[in-house]
Amino acid sequence: MTVYAPPPHVGWQTATPEPVQVRSEAVALAAVLTRIRTIRPPTSSRTCAGPCLSVPDLAALAGIHWTALYRLEAGERTPKAATVRALCEALGATPEERAQLFLAAGYVDMEAGR
């Protein structure tokens, strides 16, 4: 007597997503941006785990959508220079922090000496 058994992959295996290649600049920017954002005082009644500026608040101050900022901090995207400039202004970044953000994003801050 022959017993039929379906192959083991039928119905048991789900499609695995392709790995996403993350740029080293995006990861570096994510670390720097998160560190600077979390040391800023909150601007609204929302509170973070510590003294920090929330993602929606910073996005509103910088004039970008909060999901774009979330993706920057997750290391999924690299910003344009104008976005980095807007984030620096919204954060009130010191010249050192500004240089770190531009360098991490892969840009040279042309306004550093002004």
Side-chain angles (χ1 to χ4, degrees):
M1 176 162 135
T2 305
V3 178
Y4 173 76
H9 66 278
V10 174
W12 293 338
Q13 197 172 19
T14 59
T16 54
E18 291 294 320
V20 177
Q21 184 178 9
V22 179
R23 296 181 181 137
S24 61
E25 296 92 11
V27 174
L29 175 71
V32 173
L33 182 58
T34 303
R35 181 181 54 78
I36 294 172
R37 181 183 62 80
T38 56
I39 61 174
R40 294 295 185 261
T43 59
S44 69
S45 60
R46 289 189 192 133
T47 58
C48 297
C52 68
L53 187 60
S54 69
V55 170
D57 288 342
L58 177 56
L61 289 172
I64 60 175
H65 197 271
W66 70 270
T67 56
L69 181 56
Y70 175 80
R71 288 184 177 136
L72 287 175
E73 284 196 352
E76 297 174 5
R77 300 280 189 261
T78 53
K80 294 182 179 180
T83 304
V84 178
R85 193 174 303 112
L87 287 168
C88 289
E89 291 172 9
L91 285 166
T94 64
E96 294 81 19
E97 291 170 338
R98 184 181 176 94
Q100 288 174 358
L101 281 169
F102 271 94
L103 185 62
Y107 297 106
V108 175
D109 185 11
M110 301 305 288
E111 300 173 7
R114 295 180 193 178

